[in-house]
Structures are given as C-alpha cells and as structure tokens.
Amino acid sequence: MKSLNENRTPLRRAGWAAVVYLIAGFAWIAFSDTLAEAWFPDPKTLSVIQTWKGSFFVLITGVILFSVLLRQLTKDRALLNLQHRQRQALRERERQLQILMDNLPGMAYRCLYDPDWTMKFVSQGCTKLTGYEPDELVNNRVTSYAALVSDASNQQLFEQVRVALEKEESFSLEYEVTRKDGSRIWVWERGRGVQEDDGSLHLEGIILDISDRKVLETELEQMATRDPLTGLLNRREMSRVLDEELQRARRYQRPMAVLWVDFDHFKDVNDTYGHAAGDSVLRAISRLLLGSVRSVDSIGRFGGEEFVIVLPEMDLEEAQETAERLRRKVAEEPQPLGNGEAVPLTISVGVAVYPDHGQTASTLCAAADKAMYLAKDRGRNCVAMAHLHDQVHNQ
C-alpha cells in the first residue's frame, strides 16, 4: 500500500508524463524524418512534408495535452465539489449535534479513564447539572469531576466502569454529586469506553439529573412500609420486623418483648370532635410513643387505634417497666385535637415476652393482644402481662 501511494504522488505522475512525452517526441522526430526521406526523395516535396509534419505534431500534442488537462481538471473540480459538499454536510451534522447536546436534559461528556475523570469535552448542560461552566471542568481547570463525587462513591464507580470495560459493555451508574453551590443531587450516567488510534482510552456518555426520581422512589418505598396517617410502620412491615427480631432472639437465645397498645374510649373522641380531630390525636400519640422508646425498638400501627411495639433484648421485668412508663406518659399529657384544644386520653397495654409467652410471632401477638383485652376488662389505663391475669397494674 505504501509503494502504491508513493507511485501516485503528483511529482511521480508529472515525471512519468514528461518522460513519456519526451520519448514519444524523440521517437516521432527520429522515425518520421527517416520515413519522410524514404517516401519523398524530392527535396522540395520533402521540405513541404517536413513543414506539415511539424504542424501535425504540434496539433496532435496540443490535442493530447488538452485532453489530459481537461480530464485532470474535471476530476479535480469534481473532487473539490465533493470535498465542499462533505464539508457542508459535516458542518450541518456538527450544528445538529451541537443543538442536540445543548438541549439534552443532562450533560454529554468525553473524559479520560483516570482517577480524576478528566473531562476533555462537556456540553452546555454542564452548567445546569453541576453549576460549573463547561470550561471550568475541561482539563480540570477549576475542579475535576471526581471532586464532585465522594471518595467512597468514586472507588465504587471506578470499579464498575473497569468491569464494564473488560467486558466491552456499556455501563450505567447512579450516584450523588455535589454542585458548585454545595447542594447535592442524584445523577444517572450511561457511557462506554472508546479506544483511540494512539491507544489511549476515553469514556463517552451522558449524565442526567434523577433527583426527582429518587425522591419519588423514597416516597413509594415509604408508602409500601409506612402507615400514611402516623408515619409508623404499617402492619405488613411490622410483621416482617417482628419475624426478623424473633429469629435473632432465637438464634442468640435472647429475650424479646411485644407490647400491644390500644387507646381507651377512642371512639368517643371521633364521635365528639370528629375524625379529623381523631387523626390529630393518633399522630400526636404516635410521635409521643416514637420519642419514648429506644432506637432499636420498632413501632407499628396494626389498624385503627391498635399499635404494636417490638422491644429486642428486653426481658419480662424490663418490658413491664417500659409499658408502664409509656402508659403514664400518655395519661399525663393531653393530646392535641388540631384546633388548638387538647383532650386527655389513656391506653391499655398487653405485654408478651419471648420465649415465656410464645415461640412464634403469631403466638406472641395473640398473647399480647389477649393481655391487652385483660387490661381493658380490669378498667382500662392498665398494663397486663400475658398469662399472668393477677398482675394488672393501674398506678
């Protein structure tokens, strides 16, 4: 291929044309004179023939030269027109690509595969996404893109990209970015590696702001696990937590308590003040209970005005003391109705402890529920222990 290209250089082509022309010219002069002398021995005739022979030679060479130049200039013009159209098409594609990148909802980028994610190109969407102007990120002029991501996340991202590059696949990443104003957003990145002719490796892709989607995901997750009125765990999630804590207690042979809480005469609150006031009371007591237990404890609303509290690592005596403390706090603090007024309220609590009152979640709940109804029978505002019907406390 190299020798072929060298043979087609303008200098070689012009040289070959000149050589061919000189050989043809000398051959014409040499052989045409000999033939003319042989065919026309008369000197006068020969002189006329020589004159016409020279003119014919000039005519022929002129026609050949004209044809060659015309052919070459036509090809050159066609080539120039083609190059002009290609440049126009390239400029049009560049314009379209620039418009597309500038109107992307995120940031298109091209960067080195290095610890700094050194940007070689970023689109105008960089400003809206990160708060930095494009030229501030290119070649790390003001800051590197890696500086916008936490060190722990950078290590994970680098590893995920490395695995994708080894498999020659695209990569998709989700991580948090700190913007220029200090605010944090969630982004989604999609890209792939590009091997250059010089052997260097670049990454090309797009980065989108997905903060709204993350907020929605969090809300949906909370809707799936939280009671919409009180914000406590809902019945399904509370049952899952109870099963997990029971397995842990069984594995490590440790106690675990379950409190079953029910509001006394709560129907009277709804009937007297309305359901909106009842909802306000439920929310207030939920906050009170949540702020009165340990961080390892879990509280859930099983429905209506029934609450379940799971107390890991708590034996019978400690569970009874906790239940009594919660009963007193509720009784001593009037609950707001949401209209500036407050109403006194009490609770009845049933207590069951693993392994004394049950080996499974269902038996523990049933024992605690039965103890709660025992507290109701004993006059409400009570704490009752499962299977110990004579130990009902009302202080």
Side-chain angles (χ1 to χ4, degrees):
M1 180 63 70
K2 183 178 179 180
S3 60
L4 179 60
N5 290 335
E6 288 178 351
N7 288 336
R8 291 181 177 178
T9 60
L11 180 61
R12 285 183 173 272
R13 293 173 64 187
W16 276 109
V19 169
V20 171
Y21 177 77
L22 290 175
I23 293 174
F26 283 123
W28 172 268
I29 293 172
F31 292 104
S32 63
D33 288 345
T34 303
L35 292 175
E37 290 174 357
W39 290 347
F40 305 100
D42 180 56
K44 290 183 178 182
T45 305
L46 180 61
S47 176
V48 173
I49 293 300
Q50 289 284 10
T51 301
W52 283 103
K53 180 173 66 69
S55 300
F56 182 72
F57 176 78
V58 172
L59 178 63
I60 293 299
T61 54
V63 170
I64 294 175
L65 183 60
F66 173 80
S67 301
V68 171
L69 289 175
L70 178 62
R71 180 173 178 272
Q72 186 61 46
L73 291 176
T74 302
K75 290 176 62 178
D76 290 344
R77 184 178 181 85
L79 181 59
L80 289 174
N81 288 335
L82 176 61
Q83 291 175 344
H84 178 67
R85 290 193 299 271
Q86 289 176 338
R87 284 195 295 269
Q88 286 184 320
L90 181 60
R91 283 196 294 268
E92 180 64 19
R93 285 196 294 270
E94 289 176 348
R95 185 186 66 82
Q96 293 173 351
L97 182 60
Q98 188 65 44
I99 293 175
L100 177 62
M101 287 190 189
D102 291 343
N103 287 278
L104 283 173
M107 178 183 83
Y109 72 90
R110 176 182 174 84
C111 74
L112 297 178
Y113 177 53
D114 63 7
D116 290 327
W117 307 113
T118 302
M119 293 294 173
K120 308 306 289 185
F121 163 81
V122 289
S123 66
Q124 291 298 322
C126 169
T127 305
K128 185 176 181 180
L129 185 74
T130 68
Y132 290 93
E133 296 296 328
D135 62 335
E136 292 181 310
L137 286 186
V138 172
N139 292 321
N140 307 328
R141 189 176 70 84
V142 174
T143 185
S144 66
Y145 186 77
L148 310 184
V149 187
S150 67
D151 292 339
S153 296
N154 262 319
Q155 294 176 0
Q156 295 177 358
L157 297 178
F158 205 82
E159 178 63 20
Q160 292 175 359
V161 172
R162 182 190 65 79
V163 172
L165 293 177
E166 289 180 352
K167 296 180 179 179
E168 297 183 352
E169 296 176 348
S170 300
F171 54 84
S172 296
L173 313 168
E174 290 186 7
Y175 52 92
E176 280 189 294
V177 166
T178 302
R179 303 180 76 251
K180 191 175 184 178
D181 60 5
S183 61
R184 296 186 65 81
I185 61 172
W186 275 92
V187 299
W188 174 79
E189 178 180 347
R190 176 77 171 181
R192 68 176 302 116
V194 178
Q195 193 77 35
E196 302 297 332
D197 294 337
D198 60 2
S200 62
L201 181 61
H202 286 73
L203 305 179
E204 294 180 349
I206 186 172
I207 302 174
L208 304 178
D209 184 350
I210 59 168
S211 299
D212 291 342
R213 195 195 81 188
K214 280 293 184 179
V215 171
L216 180 59
E217 288 178 356
T218 301
E219 292 177 352
L220 292 175
E221 182 180 352
Q222 290 181 347
M223 288 175 62
T225 60
R226 298 282 175 176
D227 173 58
L229 176 62
T230 63
L232 300 177
L233 298 179
N234 59 26
R235 186 185 187 100
R236 184 178 62 179
E237 183 66 12
M238 193 64 192
S239 298
R240 185 191 66 80
V241 171
L242 179 58
D243 287 335
E244 286 186 355
E245 293 297 342
L246 189 58
Q247 291 176 9
R248 187 177 294 109
R250 187 180 297 114
R251 182 183 307 117
Y252 297 107
Q253 297 182 353
R254 301 293 298 169
M256 185 196 75
V258 175
L259 308 185
W260 201 282
V261 180
D262 189 83
F263 300 168
D264 298 329
H265 303 296
F266 185 74
K267 185 177 183 298
D268 294 342
V269 175
N270 282 331
D271 293 343
T272 304
Y273 302 101
H275 287 281
D279 290 346
S280 178
V281 170
L282 283 173
R283 287 191 292 266
I285 292 186
S286 297
R287 291 192 295 269
L288 177 64
L289 294 176
L290 196 59
S292 303
V293 296
R294 305 169 301 175
S295 60
V296 296
D297 300 331
S298 301
I299 304 179
R301 183 186 181 198
F302 260 43
E305 62 270 19
E306 288 189 332
F307 290 62
V308 172
I309 305 176
V310 175
L311 306 171
E313 301 279 335
M314 193 168 287
D315 59 21
L316 190 63
E317 182 179 356
E318 293 172 325
Q320 180 180 337
E321 292 176 356
T322 299
E324 184 59 39
R325 177 171 54 84
L326 295 177
R327 184 197 66 77
R328 284 199 304 268
K329 290 197 72 168
V330 173
E332 293 170 358
E333 185 174 333
Q335 303 305 316
L337 297 173
N339 58 1
E341 301 180 9
V343 62
L345 197 70
T346 60
I347 58 175
S348 297
V349 185
V351 182
V353 177
Y354 169 85
D356 299 341
H357 304 128
Q359 301 288 323
T360 65
S362 59
T363 55
L364 277 175
C365 286
D369 185 37
K370 186 175 181 180
M372 183 272 294
Y373 279 106
L374 175 62
K376 294 275 190 184
D377 293 340
R378 298 299 184 187
R380 295 180 171 82
N381 193 22
C382 297
V383 173
M385 306 300 296
H387 301 311
L388 302 176
H389 297 176
D390 57 330
Q391 295 188 21
V392 178
H393 302 268
N394 187 352
Q395 301 173 1

